[in-house]
């Protein structure tokens, strides 16, 4: 029981620390600070920040329980445990008096707290590793019991390649003819084989280097964990950091520290399971922690792989329904890669096996094949489509794509964009015309309905091959479609202010006060339009507070597109005395994210139907035609409308 | 054999195994290095898009653009060739390379480049308003609508690419192929008069002066100021023996476009035929000033100057 409870408690403490670190990271990054924390996109996250001092108290109690054994031991581990306990207790008291997480801003302090949060689990792991490693005996491999890294590598490659190809085909995310499917699957298989055989080469080199030492199993074990830390850091750097706009040395530091924390956690668990035993396979011991020590035979490994296949499928479907830039999907694929290799290794290392140096020729031959095929017949469009549904291939492609050696232009962009909110930037007046005067005669009602994260090639007015947006198609037919209109920026937090200013802006969320730059708001003011608004966090930041503006939604309600506010808008009962009978209505329902977050976890096809309904709703509501606005209440009955 | 953990014992057991053989570790590590090099560093000729990073591409584009702008075609060739080698499907680089070959007089290479350009040129809409619907539907080059097929029924070859290919064939003295291509282009884009005039020029070469005269006449009826058509009309009249008509068209063309060297070159020939040595020298001087690289004109002028000291 102790073997289960102890690692479980350690895992909970590590998870808490990593979660705290990620919260600090979300606060540090301008994009996530505004779009996730400030906008309240994930209410449970903001609530957990408020409860953080009390959660921390529980984590400290857990930590003290984990430190009982080290505190009983004499020597430096006792002193290290005492110091850690003292720091944590003092920190817990300080947090109760002065909570930190709810007040974090997008500045360097958030990054510092994020990094600090990763230190205790690393410290704890070091104490336990020192204690556990001392009790373990390291032996040498018996004759005929070679490592299973080669067999595990190629089997894992085939397993994950087939698993994700199957998921993709079953979900019908990409329709391929048999003629197209064969080369796609072969190319995906080749990419996976390259990735896993690269792992084999790294491990092979590690093992053979370890044999130069007197205790090869021990050296293998620690070199494996160094590699594991590097692999976790690399996945963080290439998958998570780019999606969040997290670059430079802070991302390197955070990724490296996170890799160390997770690798040390793995080492702690492996040593706990093997305590007072003898081991001759350092990598076998290390991967046993990943499989929770449950895979001890080939049938056990097969059962674990079935579970992995189910878990992988479930994660792929669930993550696809709530993902951002493929981040969660690629992370889940990375987890499945690691777990499948561990399962294969753990099950195959239980039987005699010979090791041959000649195996290293296979990865080299495959590299030649890959590069040759790539030069002769590069897989372009069809593989691009395939990468959109097979996230494992997508992840493999990330690692197989050579680094283009970001030049000075990109370094310049990296230094001068994504400016933290803590950096104050004075607004520059945006004057699009010399003299702004009120127009004579009646003015039209103006409706601005914005969607983001919706590509134009998914809308029939822009792409005749699209058949699933009939309502927006009808709307476009009776209106003017601007085919060469482009957004200033590829991010909501910058493109929305750019719509209001009509100009390019610094990459800063947000330049405040935004009033001098807000050309559209000034124009509406001169024309005496009355604004009826659904405010999201961006509008809250950039619009000048005005009692004349009519709020269509309660705070936080902007994520839901509802007909009620529109009906009120149509009624126009809130016009100020003397105001012109024109309404400027701006909706930003943020529905694209709501749709992606729908609790049913709908797949692409269901998502398209849902989107089509949504567009239909917006078409009818957005038409500057009073009769159509009257039809709005009926739409509230539409199933699936968020 | 078991080895007690040296850390826990605190003893000074040797760190390395004196009996271990190092070469398997060396071979394995070398294989790893070779794997990395083969995957990321080895350069394979003809591989697409990976030899150049974006910044290097930008530098080459600037080099090429500046050299082309100042007419340094030879210097523009190298960076443009590098860009084309890395992005062989990019119509912009094909377009530029075709023009450079054309200017360098390497018409065979120009024809090969234009022949491999089945897609719309990115700037085609500027030249021909009638192409806009096609561009709108097919997108400005490959990947306009990723994931969706190109609209069926759209012409596979664009008017510009037809014209440049035919022009290159014409310069390469492949008259019949050029004529066939001009005719094909005319069928698809009848309002693209450069194609019509090109066909008329080929008919002149084929000795079909009457057909050429009719075609060029149709263009002039639509565009009275089209100097290319006036030149063809002048040449056609000359072939048909209508010297007065030829002089009329050529002089009118030279008035409209005084900087068009070909008019003066042909007028010089006619003046020579009329034994008007001064008139021939006058036109050849103008032609030589307008087209200093034209060695045939320069040679003829030098000859006539010797005849009229």
């Amino acid at each position: 029981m102790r073997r289960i409870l102890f690692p479980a408690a350690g895992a909970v403490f590590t998870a808490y620390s990593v979660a705290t670190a990620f919260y600090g990271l979300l606060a540090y990054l301008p994009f996530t600070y505004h779009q996730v924390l400030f906008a309240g996109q994930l209410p449970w996250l903001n609530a957990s920040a408020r409860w953080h001092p009390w959660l921390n108290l529980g984590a400290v109690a857990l930590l003290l329980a984990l430190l009982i054994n080290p505190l009983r031991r004499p020597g430096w581990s006792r002193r290290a445990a005492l110091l850690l306990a003292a720091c944590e207790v003092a920190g817990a008291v300080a947090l109760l008096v002065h909570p930190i997480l709810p007040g974090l801003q997008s500045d360097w302090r958030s990054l510092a707290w994020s990094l600090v949060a990763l230190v205790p689990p690393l410290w704890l792991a070091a104490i336990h590793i020192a204690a556990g490693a001392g009790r373990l005996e390291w032996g040498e491999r018996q004759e005929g019991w070679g490592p299973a890294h080669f067999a595990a590598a190629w089997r894992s490659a085939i397993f994950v390649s087939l698993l994700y190809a199957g998921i993709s085909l079953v979900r019908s995310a990409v329709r391929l003819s048999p003629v197209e499917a064969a080369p796609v699957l072969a190319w995906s298989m080749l990419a996976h084989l390259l990735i896993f055989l690269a792992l084999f080469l790294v491990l092979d080199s590690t093992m053979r280097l370890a044999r130069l030492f007197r205790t090869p199993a021990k050296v293998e074990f620690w070199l494996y964990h160094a590699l594991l830390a590097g692999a976790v850091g690399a996945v963080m750097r290439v998958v998570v950091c780019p999606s969040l706009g997290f670059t430079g040395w802070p991302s390197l530091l955070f990724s490296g520290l996170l890799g160390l924390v997770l690798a040390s956690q793995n080492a702690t668990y492996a040593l706990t399971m093997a305590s007072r035993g003898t081991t001759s396979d350092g990598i076998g011991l290390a991967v046993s922690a990943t499989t929770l020590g449950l895979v001890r035979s080939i049938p056990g490994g097969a059962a674990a792989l079935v579970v992995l296949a189910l878990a992988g499928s479930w994660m792929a479907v669930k993550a696809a329904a709530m993902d951002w830039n493929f981040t969660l999907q690629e992370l889940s694929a990375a987890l499945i890669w690691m777990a499948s290799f561990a399962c294969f290794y753990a099950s195959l290392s239980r039987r005699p096996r010979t090791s041959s140096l000649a195996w290293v020729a296979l990865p080299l031959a495959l590299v030649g094949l890959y590069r040759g095929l790539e030069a002769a017949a590069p897989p372009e469009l069809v593989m691009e489509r395939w990468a959109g549904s097979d996230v494992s291939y997508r992840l493999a492609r990330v690692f197989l794509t050579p680094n283009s050696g970001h030049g000075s232009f990109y370094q310049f962009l990296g230094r001068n964009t994504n400016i933290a909110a803590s950096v104050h930037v004075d607004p520059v007046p945006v004057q699009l015309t010399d003299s702004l005067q009120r127009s004579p005669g009646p003015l039209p009602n103006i409706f601005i309905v914005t969607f983001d994260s919706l590509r134009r090639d998914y809308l029939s007015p822009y792409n005749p091959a699209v058949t699933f947006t009939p309502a927006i198609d009808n709307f476009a037919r009776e209106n003017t479609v601007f085919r060469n209109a482009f957004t200033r920026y590829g991010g909501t937090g910058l493109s929305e202010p750019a719509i209001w200013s009509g100009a390019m802006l610094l990459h800063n969320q947000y330049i405040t006060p935004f009033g001098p730059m807000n050309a559209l708001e000034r124009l509406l003011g001169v024309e005496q339009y009355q604004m009826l608004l659904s405010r999201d966090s961006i509008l809250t930041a950039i619009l000048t507070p005005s009692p004349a503006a009519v709020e269509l939604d309660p705070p936080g309600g902007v994520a839901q597109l509802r007909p009620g506010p529109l009906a009120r808008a149509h009624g126009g009962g809130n016009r100020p005395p003397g105001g012109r009978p024109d309404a400027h209505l701006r909706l930003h329902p943020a529905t694209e994210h709501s749709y992606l977050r729908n609790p049913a976890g709908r797949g692409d096809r269901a998502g398209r139907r849902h989107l089509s309904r949504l567009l239909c709703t917006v078409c009818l509501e957005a038409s500057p035609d009073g009769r159509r606005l009257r039809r709005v209440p009926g739409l509230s009955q539409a199933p699936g409308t968020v | 054999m078991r080895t007690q953990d040296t850390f826990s014992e605190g003893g000074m057991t040797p760190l390395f195994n004196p009996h271990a053989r190092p070469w398997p570790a060396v071979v394995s590590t070398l294989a790893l290095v070779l794997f990395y090099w083969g995957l990321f560093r080895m350069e394979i000729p003809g591989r697409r898009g990976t030899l150049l990073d974006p910044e290097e591409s930008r530098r080459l584009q600037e080099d090429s653009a500046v050299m082309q702008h100042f007419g340094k075609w030879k210097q523009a060739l190298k960076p443009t060739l590098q860009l084309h080698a890395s992005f062989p499907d990019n119509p912009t680089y094909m377009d530029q390379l075709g023009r450079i070959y054309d200017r360098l007089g390497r018409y065979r290479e120009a024809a090969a480049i234009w022949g491999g350009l089945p897609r719309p040129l990115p700037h085609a809409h500027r030249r021909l308003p009638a192409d806009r619907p096609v561009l709108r539907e097919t997108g400005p080059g490959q990947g306009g609508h990723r994931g969706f097929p190109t609209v069926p029924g759209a012409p596979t070859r664009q008017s510009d690419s037809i014209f440049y290919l035919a022009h290159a064939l014409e310069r390469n003295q492949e008259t019949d192929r050029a004529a066939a291509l001009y005719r094909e282009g005319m069928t698809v884009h009848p309002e693209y008069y450069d194609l019509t005039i090109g066909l008329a020029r080929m008919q002149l070469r084929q000795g079909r002066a009457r057909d050429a005269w009719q075609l060029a006449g149709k263009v002039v009826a639509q565009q009275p100021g089209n100097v290319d058509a006036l030149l063809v009309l002048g040449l056609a009249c000359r072939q048909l023996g209508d010297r007065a008509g030829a002089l009329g068209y050529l002089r009118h063309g030279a008035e409209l476009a005084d900087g068009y060297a070909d008019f003066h070159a042909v007028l010089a020939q006619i003046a020579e035929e009329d034994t008007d040595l001064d008139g021939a020298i006058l036109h050849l001087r103008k032609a030589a000033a307008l087209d200093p690289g034209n060695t045939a004109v320069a040679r003829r002028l030098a000859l006539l100057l010797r005849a009229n000291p």
Side-chain angles (χ1 to χ4, degrees):
Chain A
M1 183 59 78
R2 189 179 172 279
R3 282 193 176 189
I4 296 172
L5 284 180
F6 175 79
V12 169
F13 180 74
T14 302
Y16 158 79
S17 303
V18 169
T20 305
F22 266 97
Y23 186 92
L25 187 64
L26 293 179
Y28 168 68
L29 299 169
F31 165 67
T32 48
Y33 173 74
H34 285 283
Q35 301 295 321
V36 179
L37 301 185
F38 187 73
Q41 289 278 346
L42 302 171
W44 59 266
L45 193 60
N46 295 41
S48 60
R50 286 193 299 275
W51 284 95
H52 179 253
W54 303 102
L55 293 173
N56 185 62
L57 214 55
V60 170
L62 206 58
L63 176 75
L64 292 176
L66 288 167
L67 288 175
I68 288 174
N69 274 343
L71 285 170
R72 286 177 183 159
R73 293 171 188 275
W76 76 270
S77 62
R78 176 187 164 85
R79 289 194 291 276
L82 264 175
L83 188 59
L84 176 60
C87 287
E88 283 290 306
V89 170
V93 173
L95 277 179
L96 283 172
V97 177
H98 182 71
I100 287 175
L101 291 201
L104 286 182
Q105 300 286 319
S106 177
D107 56 23
W108 64 270
R109 279 180 292 252
S110 298
L111 178 66
W113 283 116
S114 171
L115 295 173
V116 164
L118 291 174
V119 173
L122 201 57
W123 193 340
L124 179 66
I127 294 169
H128 284 143
I129 286 168
R135 290 197 299 270
L136 193 65
E137 285 188 15
W138 303 94
E140 284 189 6
R141 278 200 175 86
Q142 294 172 6
E143 199 63 36
W145 286 77
H149 57 329
F150 180 70
W154 70 260
R155 283 173 169 86
S156 303
I158 292 173
F159 173 74
V160 293
S161 173
L162 293 178
L163 172 64
Y164 279 91
I167 293 169
S168 188
L169 291 172
V170 167
R171 293 179 67 206
S172 302
V174 177
R175 286 188 291 274
L176 294 175
S177 67
V179 177
E180 283 180 315
V184 163
L185 296 179
W187 188 259
S188 170
M189 181 79 77
L190 182 57
H192 282 94
L193 277 169
L194 279 176
I195 292 288
F196 279 91
L197 289 178
L199 174 64
F200 152 70
L201 277 181
V202 171
L203 291 180
D204 193 69
S205 182
T206 303
M207 288 173 173
R208 292 184 194 281
L209 282 172
R211 283 181 202 169
L212 300 178
F213 291 83
R214 184 165 287 279
T215 52
K218 182 181 173 185
V219 176
E220 264 178 26
F221 181 79
W222 291 116
L223 283 179
Y224 175 87
H225 280 95
L227 292 172
L228 181 63
V232 171
V235 168
M236 181 73 192
R237 284 274 289 172
V238 302
V239 174
V240 180
C241 294
S243 298
L244 302 177
F246 189 27
T247 56
W249 67 264
S251 78
L252 195 65
L253 188 61
F254 185 89
S255 303
L257 204 52
L258 184 68
L260 279 177
V261 167
L262 296 185
S264 63
Q265 181 67 27
N266 189 82
T268 308
Y269 186 39
L271 291 172
T272 306
M273 286 195 304
S275 62
R276 294 194 173 80
T278 303
T279 184
S280 58
D281 183 355
I283 293 178
L285 176 62
V287 300
S288 69
T290 310
T291 61
L292 305 175
L294 298 173
V295 178
R296 295 177 180 177
S297 63
I298 289 178
L305 288 171
V306 170
V307 172
L308 268 187
L310 294 172
S313 309
W314 181 81
M315 282 195 287
V317 173
K318 283 291 176 191
M322 55 177 293
D323 208 352
W324 168 259
N325 227 359
F326 289 93
T327 308
L328 294 177
Q329 294 174 80
E330 287 180 359
L331 273 181
S332 71
L335 274 176
I336 295 295
W337 283 10
M338 201 177 294
S340 59
F341 178 80
C343 286
F344 274 113
Y345 193 99
S347 58
L348 294 171
S349 63
R350 303 281 168 173
R351 61 182 183 183
R353 184 172 303 280
T354 54
S355 172
S356 170
L357 194 57
W359 288 342
V360 299
L362 180 65
L364 298 178
L366 285 181
V367 163
L369 178 66
Y370 178 80
R371 295 298 308 276
L373 286 174
E374 193 184 34
E380 287 174 343
L381 198 57
V382 70
M383 290 313 298
E384 188 70 34
R385 286 167 59 199
W386 183 252
S389 62
D390 183 341
V391 284
S392 181
Y393 168 70
R394 188 182 184 86
L395 183 61
R397 203 177 60 157
V398 168
F399 285 107
L400 292 177
T401 303
N403 188 343
S404 60
H406 302 299
S408 58
F409 179 62
Y410 292 102
Q411 287 170 4
F412 174 83
L413 287 181
R415 283 195 303 272
N416 295 283
T417 56
N418 211 14
I419 302 166
S422 54
V423 177
H424 180 72
V425 177
D426 287 322
V428 177
V430 176
Q431 305 280 357
L432 300 180
T433 177
D434 291 336
S435 60
L436 197 56
Q437 293 175 341
R438 186 174 169 180
S439 307
L443 292 174
N445 290 324
I446 301 172
F447 298 83
I448 300 179
V449 182
T450 61
F451 274 92
D452 69 13
S453 303
L454 177 59
R455 254 171 38 191
R456 56 183 277 152
D457 59 350
Y458 273 70
L459 293 173
S460 48
Y462 301 102
N463 188 350
V466 170
T467 56
F468 46 82
T469 57
I472 198 83
D473 193 48
N474 289 335
F475 183 64
R477 281 179 201 283
E478 62 189 38
N479 286 287
T480 301
V481 177
F482 294 89
R483 297 183 188 281
N484 291 314
F486 301 95
T487 181
R488 292 281 192 186
Y489 302 99
T492 315
L494 292 168
S495 57
E496 273 207 67
I499 290 172
W500 285 82
S501 69
M504 293 191 79
L505 305 168
L506 280 179
H507 286 221
N508 180 294
Q509 294 179 54
Y510 300 96
I511 300 169
T512 51
F514 194 74
M517 306 185 74
N518 201 333
L520 180 56
E521 188 181 21
R522 193 159 51 250
L523 173 68
L524 295 171
V526 169
E527 297 286 9
Q528 295 187 356
Y529 271 89
Q530 183 189 14
M531 283 203 281
L532 297 98
L533 291 159
S534 278
R535 272 184 204 269
D536 60 0
S537 61
I538 300 171
L539 286 199
T540 305
I542 67 171
L543 284 188
T544 309
S546 164
V550 178
E551 302 290 339
L552 294 174
D553 282 300
V558 74
Q560 296 191 346
L561 177 64
R562 295 175 306 181
L566 287 158
R568 288 203 300 278
H570 175 62
N574 291 327
R575 286 188 198 112
R580 299 178 74 165
D582 307 312
H584 169 252
L585 172 67
R586 186 215 172 264
L587 284 174
H588 177 75
T591 36
E592 78 291 347
H593 298 309
S594 306
Y595 135 66
L596 288 171
R597 277 210 314 273
N598 72 77
R602 293 167 184 156
D604 286 1
R605 205 176 285 171
R608 276 184 189 173
R609 282 200 299 271
H610 184 68
L611 189 59
S612 184
R613 272 202 299 274
L614 209 58
L615 290 173
C616 171
T617 307
V618 170
C619 277
L620 291 166
E621 290 177 340
S623 169
D625 176 346
R627 286 172 301 162
R628 297 209 171 176
L629 286 174
R630 285 197 188 95
R631 291 168 58 187
V632 163
L635 291 171
S636 63
Q637 308 303 319
T641 302
V642 291
Chain B
M1 186 180 81
R2 291 177 184 174
T3 308
Q4 188 65 31
D5 190 337
T6 54
F7 178 83
S8 62
E9 285 195 335
M12 291 299 291
T13 48
L15 187 63
F16 291 99
N17 180 357
H19 307 295
R21 290 176 303 172
W23 67 266
V26 172
V27 171
S28 182
T29 307
L30 274 178
L32 182 60
V33 171
L34 203 57
F35 182 89
Y36 176 82
W37 176 81
L39 195 54
F40 298 121
R41 297 290 175 194
M42 183 172 61
E43 290 195 357
I44 296 180
R47 192 185 173 203
R48 300 167 184 226
T50 52
L51 297 180
L52 297 177
D53 63 37
E55 199 154 311
E56 177 67 1
S57 298
R58 196 167 64 98
R59 189 187 66 75
L60 290 171
Q61 282 174 45
E62 282 179 6
D63 277 10
S64 173
V66 168
M67 295 304 164
Q68 289 181 63
H69 182 71
F70 291 105
K72 306 288 183 187
W73 306 107
K74 203 169 178 182
Q75 289 92 327
L77 182 60
K78 190 179 173 187
T80 316
L81 271 174
Q82 278 182 269
L83 290 164
H84 176 60
S86 287
F87 308 101
D89 295 330
N90 189 313
T92 301
Y93 302 140
M94 294 176 83
D95 176 32
Q96 291 174 0
L97 197 56
R99 287 166 194 267
I100 290 169
Y101 277 136
D102 184 71
R103 295 302 182 120
L104 289 173
R106 295 167 63 173
Y107 304 122
R108 190 181 298 277
E109 287 101 325
I113 288 289
W114 293 119
L117 190 61
R119 295 271 177 175
L121 287 174
H123 60 266
H125 64 282
R126 284 192 224 138
R127 298 180 57 89
L128 189 63
D131 286 346
R132 284 180 187 161
V134 177
L135 281 177
R136 191 166 61 229
E137 291 182 349
T138 57
Q142 289 186 355
H145 293 305
R146 285 210 147 180
F148 289 97
T150 305
V151 178
T156 54
R157 201 193 286 276
Q158 260 296 319
S159 49
D160 270 354
S161 62
I162 292 175
F163 172 76
Y164 283 116
L165 174 56
H167 195 60
L169 292 171
E170 177 188 341
R171 296 288 192 97
N172 202 38
Q173 305 302 321
E174 296 183 57
T175 305
D176 292 343
R177 283 184 64 196
L181 207 56
Y182 278 133
R183 189 182 296 281
E184 177 195 326
M186 263 179 65
T187 311
V188 180
H189 306 286
E191 72 283 22
Y192 195 160
Y193 294 124
D194 286 348
L195 294 166
T196 310
I197 296 164
L199 179 59
R201 272 199 311 272
M202 293 306 94
Q203 287 173 338
L204 273 181
R205 274 195 198 172
Q206 291 166 333
R208 296 163 57 189
R210 177 67 57 189
D211 295 338
W213 185 82
Q214 285 178 346
L215 270 182
K218 284 180 186 172
V219 174
V220 170
Q222 296 295 321
Q223 295 181 333
N226 190 316
V227 289
D228 287 325
L230 287 171
L231 180 64
V232 172
L233 277 174
L235 291 169
C237 285
R238 190 175 159 219
Q239 274 195 14
L240 292 168
D242 179 5
R243 297 175 66 79
L247 281 171
Y249 287 125
L250 293 168
R251 282 174 181 157
H252 181 48
E255 282 170 17
L256 288 174
D258 194 40
Y260 202 151
D262 287 359
F263 282 111
H264 295 292
V266 180
L267 283 169
Q269 287 174 11
I270 294 175
E272 270 194 66
E273 287 166 10
D274 293 341
T275 61
D276 176 7
L277 190 55
D278 289 339
I281 288 173
L282 178 70
H283 283 299
L284 281 175
R285 279 188 200 279
K286 283 189 178 177
L290 291 168
D291 186 6
N294 191 327
T295 52
V297 167
R299 272 203 306 270
R300 195 71 190 170
L301 176 60
L303 186 62
L304 294 190
L305 284 174
R306 283 207 303 277
N308 186 24

